[in-house]
Amino acid sequence: MPIQDLLPLLAEVVGEEHVRVDEDTRLAYGVDALKRGRAADAVVTPANTAEVAGVVRLCYAHDVPFVPRGSGTGYTGGAVPLHGGVVISLERMNRIIEIDEANLLAVVEPNVITGDLQAAVESVGLFYPPDPASLKQSAIGGNVAECAGGPRAFKYGTTKQYILGLEAVLPTGEIVKTGGKVVKNVVGYDLTHLLVGSEGTLAVITKIFVRLVPKPPVQATLRASFSSIDDAVRAVAEIIKRRVVPAALEFIDGESLDAVARNLQVHSLAPEGTAAILLLEVDGTPNAVEEEAGRVSEACAAAGATEILRARDEAERQELWRVRREISLSLKMITPLKFNHDMVVPKGRIPDLIALVSRIREAYRLRIPCFGHAGDGNIHVNIMVSPDDADEIQRAHDAERVLFEGVVALEGSISGEHGIGFSKAPFLAIELSPDEIALMKRVKAAFDPKGLLNPGKIFPES
Amino acid sequence: MPIQDLLPLLAEVVGEEHVRVDEDTRLAYGVDALKRGRAADAVVTPANTAEVAGVVRLCYAHDVPFVPRGSGTGYTGGAVPLHGGVVISLERMNRIIEIDEANLLAVVEPNVITGDLQAAVESVGLFYPPDPASLKQSAIGGNVAECAGGPRAFKYGTTKQYILGLEAVLPTGEIVKTGGKVVKNVVGYDLTHLLVGSEGTLAVITKIFVRLVPKPPVQATLRASFSSIDDAVRAVAEIIKRRVVPAALEFIDGESLDAVARNLQVHSLAPEGTAAILLLEVDGTPNAVEEEAGRVSEACAAAGATEILRARDEAERQELWRVRREISLSLKMITPLKFNHDMVVPKGRIPDLIALVSRIREAYRLRIPCFGHAGDGNIHVNIMVSPDDADEIQRAHDAERVLFEGVVALEGSISGEHGIGFSKAPFLAIELSPDEIALMKRVKAAFDPKGLLNPGKIFPES
């Protein structure tokens, strides 16, 4: 059905003011955080699950593609209407419905901002650990759809570990509930965790049951500097050997540090000659934290750290974290175009990944700053290019494929956090076999026989 | 194809000595831990993944049902050949392939006994937390298929949280790998966690990538006795209020305690007039353990505990755990027939569950001892019946349905650990809607279009 004919039907479901077709809106809701995508044909903003189901049923009945959208902060285009159609923005469904202290859970609508959820539960002594860098902008529904990670994943796990259940609207319009308020449930298939990370291609998530844990009472934050990347990586192994699981174990290479230093206009953020730093945080009860901070320092020293700092108060802690938080923005100052890849390898193979990047850097003459979550083996590899240098862009694309193939050869994965969306879809077959892709497509068809929900994502289009 | 004709083909794949059709074998591999099921037509014992795939392809091509089997310790019949056909026993695939200390993981074949895996990783200072009661008999593959729990799930989570990836043979014979050695992977759908808990109905698991954590250096074990069940349940709330997450928080009611006391022929295992006990364990670094043990004692005292004991050494610890371990066997001494249901409710609603059981106990004149994992709201409700009392058996069956409906009304689930198998399949629709069941059946068909893998499980047969 032409979108023009669908609009009055959509208006009946959500109200006329919640169906928008002006060009600004259609463009704004058509792109991801990297401004890639295409304009939506229409943007609707339902108020509740019943309205979402009504919109979905209309689109499905009339063969119009539709795409759920949270805050639009994704890096691989999961929420963009690649084939046009209706964007279902969940922005009005942004309530924390319930924080249930006795049962250590919260029930929320999908468009609660993750940082707001964290603040709300922390105010009653509870904790929602997943902390994607975008937590002040991204919505919990998007975090669920992408299975967001963040620095705390090494100790606490990713979004997946904190989702007890979901309410969702199937592409065919039925409202289903998976899991719920219990922490154990083995009744039928675990559709909850199939939906987590499914990038908005299997159902529209309308309600989320979030598991919470007690808030760790204190933490200690340390920064260790190293004169070689090898030493920094060895420190990670030394920490693991001492059986400590830090709440954060962030790796930042010299090239990333330089970018931050230039951006913040400070001479240097670490001792002269620093090739990499680790930003470390341990949390728990006061005694346990002292014990673990000691072991972490010991491990860094054993690996040859040139300097080990420990924050003495919250201000110093924020200062240490600042360099990590400023990386993304600082890299943007170097050049507005970067191919940011969230590579992940078994953590013991980080040295191989770093060596791979070095070889690529040289062979393709590219700047490739790296940083990320060393405890998870999850390193953000940023290929920096000048938007107007066609040759460099070509070299970057060639390098991408070599990088992905190399990571898979290291028993790694081409995406640890951002998902496939449309931007990595052409590379899916590097990691998955034809049988595995065929199986996933059959699962997709079990949910969405007509393929109208979020088309063009995950699977390469022929 | 008649099974007679299939046998020589199977023998070509696995070798003649690994195809068994004698009656003893067919019967032994046809029942679950409760001796329910029916005889297999043939039992094959493949040596490796390629042989499993060969067997599966033969069965699929010739329309013969097939069922994967580990140690056969399940409670709901997940591994029994309800429709006859071939039982694929994975008993020869029982190697720990690799314990990778640097990457905190292990790679194992499905028939490694869970307790053996635990011992192996603990010997190098690592820890595999899930601890189903059957851990000395049950195989890790079965634990994965059922998503086994156990006392440590409150703090550490269930099997699900420790599975990084799987290798599996699809019903159609393809060998696929899901996930792998990385702790984060968002490439395509999370089929790993769809397979976990799928009760052997979606694929035959042939290799498992297990996540490990550092072994907690020490633990403290306490037992608190209460003169009313309400007090015991209030203690759980008091512990949560103090933001402590014990590694075990086991609840045992007076009826269960009495059974153990009679079985062990000791006068009493707790002070006179005890209506319930909590068995508590906290673990971690020495200082953290002292801190938490103190807070747990405080919480139990605040709830009116009549006695709080703390084990002073490993012998005393084992003595405290003994009563918990002896329950199942002791209940069997009362009567060989029990309907053992692994109910789960949001933990704050345990008092409502206990009240529900009391009402049922009275209305249906039944003995129903209860015990279980209070931190998870996961209570084993055991309806005891005399095998030769037809009237009592009927009352027990009537009571079951009332129990399941009541639990779902409390926002709970009819199975927290054992799965649905065939024994709970008739009750599936109490918890799941027709739309949810239809969706799960479509997922099943995406894996197994002919419905030959483990038929008769999860979904009620019409």
Side-chain angles (χ1 to χ4, degrees):
Chain A
M1 180 186 271
I3 195 77
Q4 277 317 113
D5 300 344
L6 191 67
L7 297 177
L9 304 176
L10 291 171
E12 269 176 45
V13 174
V14 297
E16 211 162 324
E17 68 276 33
H18 299 299
V19 179
R20 287 181 284 171
V21 291
D22 62 287
E23 198 182 353
D24 282 358
T25 301
R26 294 193 299 107
L27 284 173
Y29 285 78
V31 296
D32 71 357
L34 302 176
K35 303 293 171 210
R36 295 172 306 185
R38 57 157 276 184
D41 292 326
V43 176
V44 301
T45 45
N48 53 47
T49 305
E51 289 188 7
V52 172
V55 170
V56 166
R57 277 194 295 267
L58 278 177
C59 291
Y60 202 78
H62 296 99
D63 292 322
V64 174
F66 53 103
V67 180
R69 187 179 176 93
S71 293
T73 55
Y75 276 139
T76 55
V80 312
L82 208 64
H83 290 218
V86 175
V87 165
I88 304 176
S89 171
L90 298 157
E91 64 200 68
R92 293 170 66 207
M93 295 174 67
N94 60 359
R95 285 181 314 141
I96 296 176
I97 298 169
E98 181 184 3
I99 294 175
D100 181 343
E101 291 184 60
N103 289 310
L104 302 176
L105 62 87
V107 184
V108 301
E109 291 185 328
N111 240 68
V112 173
I113 299 304
T114 304
D116 293 347
L117 172 62
Q118 288 184 336
V121 305
E122 286 180 31
S123 74
V124 296
L126 296 176
F127 193 47
Y128 176 71
D131 58 342
S134 59
L135 65 87
K136 285 188 178 151
Q137 292 86 38
S138 66
I140 183 79
N143 286 187
V144 171
E146 300 293 328
C147 191
R152 289 192 196 119
F154 180 41
K155 176 167 180 176
Y156 288 101
T158 62
T159 303
K160 187 185 300 291
Q161 272 84 44
Y162 295 89
I163 305 305
L164 294 172
L166 297 169
E167 178 194 74
V169 176
L170 299 184
T172 39
E174 303 94 324
I175 299 166
V176 296
K177 194 170 152 249
T178 71
K181 289 193 175 177
V182 291
V183 292
K184 286 172 166 175
N185 182 330
V186 290
V187 174
Y189 300 134
D190 183 354
L191 300 182
T192 303
H193 292 96
L194 180 61
L195 292 179
V196 175
S198 66
E199 308 193 38
T201 66
L202 297 181
V204 183
I205 294 165
T206 51
K207 197 191 282 180
I208 302 162
F209 296 80
V210 177
R211 183 171 76 92
L212 304 172
V213 296
K215 189 180 172 196
V218 297
Q219 64 271 107
T221 307
L222 296 95
R223 189 189 75 188
S225 303
F226 301 88
S227 58
S228 83
I229 287 181
D230 280 356
D231 285 351
V233 170
R234 206 168 50 244
V236 175
E238 291 287 338
I239 290 167
I240 289 165
K241 221 184 275 173
R242 285 166 177 77
R243 304 297 184 228
V244 182
V245 180
L249 212 179
E250 296 291 292
F251 165 87
I252 304 169
D253 77 356
E255 209 168 331
S256 305
L257 272 182
D258 282 348
V260 177
R262 256 177 295 163
N263 182 33
L264 298 182
Q265 298 186 308
V266 294
H267 173 60
S268 174
L269 295 164
E272 197 72 35
T274 294
I277 64 167
L278 292 178
L279 190 61
L280 299 136
E281 200 159 273
V282 293
D283 65 8
T285 56
N287 288 320
V289 161
E290 279 317 305
E291 212 167 318
E292 295 200 342
R295 278 197 274 169
V296 162
S297 291
E298 209 181 281
C300 291
T306 55
E307 181 189 72
I308 301 170
L309 295 180
R310 178 171 167 178
R312 280 164 303 188
D313 53 34
E314 184 59 24
E316 286 192 6
R317 180 182 173 224
Q318 291 307 330
E319 189 54 30
L320 291 187
W321 270 104
R322 187 174 171 213
V323 49
R324 174 66 182 87
R325 292 212 188 87
E326 293 290 336
I327 295 175
S328 271
L329 191 67
S330 303
L331 292 181
K332 256 184 216 152
M333 307 296 274
I334 300 182
T335 163
L337 188 58
K338 63 171 178 173
F339 302 150
N340 165 6
H341 293 303
D342 52 326
M343 302 294 96
V344 50
V345 292
K347 57 186 142 294
R349 294 190 129 175
I350 294 178
D352 304 294
L353 174 58
I354 297 292
L356 170 68
V357 171
S358 293
R359 287 197 301 276
I360 291 174
R361 199 180 272 128
E362 205 157 315
Y364 295 89
R365 291 171 290 124
L366 293 163
R367 277 168 302 170
I368 316 182
C370 295
F371 62 92
H373 319 302
D376 300 317
N378 182 198
I379 303 292
H380 293 272
V381 175
N382 302 274
I383 304 179
M384 313 300 294
V385 290
S386 314
D388 39 13
D389 184 340
D391 180 67
E392 192 172 52
I393 290 176
Q394 185 56 49
R395 280 183 277 129
H397 281 305
D398 294 344
E400 270 182 327
R401 183 164 284 273
V402 175
L403 174 67
F404 295 166
E405 288 171 348
V407 161
V408 170
L410 292 172
E411 297 186 275
S413 173
I414 65 170
S415 181
E417 296 188 321
H418 301 164
I420 298 299
F422 72 88
S423 65
K424 277 191 182 163
F427 306 106
L428 191 70
I430 293 176
E431 183 162 338
L432 302 181
S433 74
D435 287 337
E436 288 152 9
I437 294 173
L439 175 62
M440 288 185 186
K441 284 184 170 177
R442 292 199 300 276
V443 170
K444 163 75 172 166
F447 280 77
D448 182 13
K450 289 193 198 172
L452 290 170
L453 173 58
N454 210 352
K457 308 298 169 65
I458 300 181
F459 306 108
E461 301 196 88
S462 43
Chain B
M1 180 184 272
I3 193 78
Q4 278 316 114
D5 299 344
L6 191 65
L7 298 178
L9 304 176
L10 292 170
E12 269 176 45
V13 174
V14 296
E16 210 164 321
E17 67 276 33
H18 300 299
V19 180
R20 286 180 285 170
V21 292
D22 62 285
E23 199 182 352
D24 281 357
T25 300
R26 294 194 298 108
L27 285 171
Y29 285 79
V31 296
D32 70 358
L34 304 175
K35 303 294 170 208
R36 294 171 307 185
R38 58 157 275 186
D41 292 327
V43 176
V44 301
T45 46
N48 54 47
T49 305
E51 290 189 8
V52 172
V55 170
V56 166
R57 277 195 294 266
L58 278 177
C59 291
Y60 202 79
H62 296 98
D63 291 324
V64 173
F66 53 103
V67 180
R69 185 178 177 93
S71 292
T73 56
Y75 276 140
T76 55
V80 312
L82 209 63
H83 290 217
V86 175
V87 165
I88 303 175
S89 171
L90 298 157
E91 63 200 71
R92 292 170 66 207
M93 296 175 67
N94 60 358
R95 285 181 313 143
I96 296 176
I97 299 169
E98 181 182 3
I99 294 174
D100 181 343
E101 290 184 59
N103 289 309
L104 301 177
L105 61 87
V107 184
V108 300
E109 291 185 326
N111 240 67
V112 173
I113 299 303
T114 304
D116 293 345
L117 172 63
Q118 289 184 335
V121 305
E122 287 179 32
S123 74
V124 295
L126 296 176
F127 193 47
Y128 176 70
D131 58 343
S134 60
L135 67 86
K136 286 189 178 148
Q137 292 85 39
S138 65
I140 184 79
N143 287 186
V144 171
E146 300 292 328
C147 190
R152 291 193 196 119
F154 179 40
K155 177 166 180 177
Y156 289 101
T158 62
T159 303
K160 188 185 299 291
Q161 272 84 43
Y162 295 88
I163 305 304
L164 294 173
L166 297 169
E167 176 193 76
V169 176
L170 299 183
T172 38
E174 303 94 326
I175 299 166
V176 297
K177 195 168 152 251
T178 70
K181 289 193 175 177
V182 291
V183 293
K184 286 171 164 178
N185 181 330
V186 291
V187 175
Y189 301 133
D190 182 356
L191 300 183
T192 303
H193 292 97
L194 180 61
L195 291 180
V196 176
S198 66
E199 308 193 38
T201 67
L202 297 180
V204 182
I205 294 165
T206 51
K207 198 190 281 179
I208 303 163
F209 295 81
V210 177
R211 182 172 76 92
L212 304 171
V213 296
K215 190 182 170 194
V218 297
Q219 64 272 108
T221 306
L222 297 95
R223 189 189 76 189
S225 303
F226 301 88
S227 57
S228 81
I229 286 181
D230 279 357
D231 286 351
V233 170
R234 205 165 53 244
V236 175
E238 290 288 338
I239 289 167
I240 289 166
K241 220 184 276 173
R242 284 167 177 75
R243 304 298 183 226
V244 183
V245 179
L249 212 179
E250 295 290 292
F251 165 88
I252 305 170
D253 78 356
E255 211 167 330
S256 305
L257 273 183
D258 282 349
V260 177
R262 257 177 294 164
N263 182 33
L264 299 181
Q265 297 186 307
V266 295
H267 173 60
S268 174
L269 294 165
E272 197 71 34
T274 294
I277 65 167
L278 292 178
L279 189 61
L280 299 136
E281 201 158 274
V282 292
D283 65 9
T285 57
N287 288 322
V289 161
E290 280 316 304
E291 211 167 318
E292 295 201 341
R295 277 197 275 168
V296 162
S297 290
E298 209 182 280
C300 291
T306 54
E307 182 188 72
I308 301 171
L309 295 179
R310 177 171 168 181
R312 282 162 302 185
D313 54 33
E314 184 60 23
E316 284 192 6
R317 181 183 172 222
Q318 291 307 328
E319 189 55 32
L320 291 186
W321 270 105
R322 187 173 170 214
V323 49
R324 174 66 182 85
R325 292 212 188 90
E326 292 289 336
I327 296 176
S328 272
L329 190 66
S330 303
L331 293 180
K332 258 186 212 151
M333 307 295 273
I334 300 182
T335 162
L337 189 58
K338 63 171 179 174
F339 301 151
N340 165 6
H341 292 303
D342 52 326
M343 303 293 97
V344 50
V345 293
K347 57 185 142 298
R349 294 190 130 177
I350 294 179
D352 304 293
L353 174 59
I354 297 291
L356 170 68
V357 172
S358 293
R359 287 196 303 276
I360 291 174
R361 199 180 271 130
E362 207 158 314
Y364 294 88
R365 290 174 291 122
L366 292 163
R367 278 169 301 170
I368 316 182
C370 294
F371 63 92
H373 319 301
D376 300 316
N378 182 198
I379 303 292
H380 293 272
V381 176
N382 301 274
I383 305 179
M384 313 299 293
V385 290
S386 314
D388 39 13
D389 184 340
D391 180 68
E392 193 173 52
I393 290 176
Q394 185 56 50
R395 279 182 278 130
H397 281 306
D398 294 345
E400 270 182 328
R401 183 164 284 274
V402 175
L403 174 66
F404 295 166
E405 287 171 349
V407 161
V408 170
L410 293 172
E411 297 185 276
S413 172
I414 64 171
S415 181
E417 296 188 322
H418 302 163
I420 299 298
F422 72 88
S423 65
K424 276 190 183 164
F427 305 107
L428 192 70
I430 293 176
E431 184 163 334
L432 302 182
S433 74
D435 287 337
E436 289 152 9
I437 294 173
L439 175 62
M440 288 186 187
K441 284 184 170 178
R442 292 199 300 275
V443 170
K444 163 73 172 167
F447 281 76
D448 182 13
K450 289 193 198 172
L452 290 171
L453 173 58
N454 210 353
K457 308 299 169 62
I458 301 182
F459 306 108
E461 302 195 89
S462 44

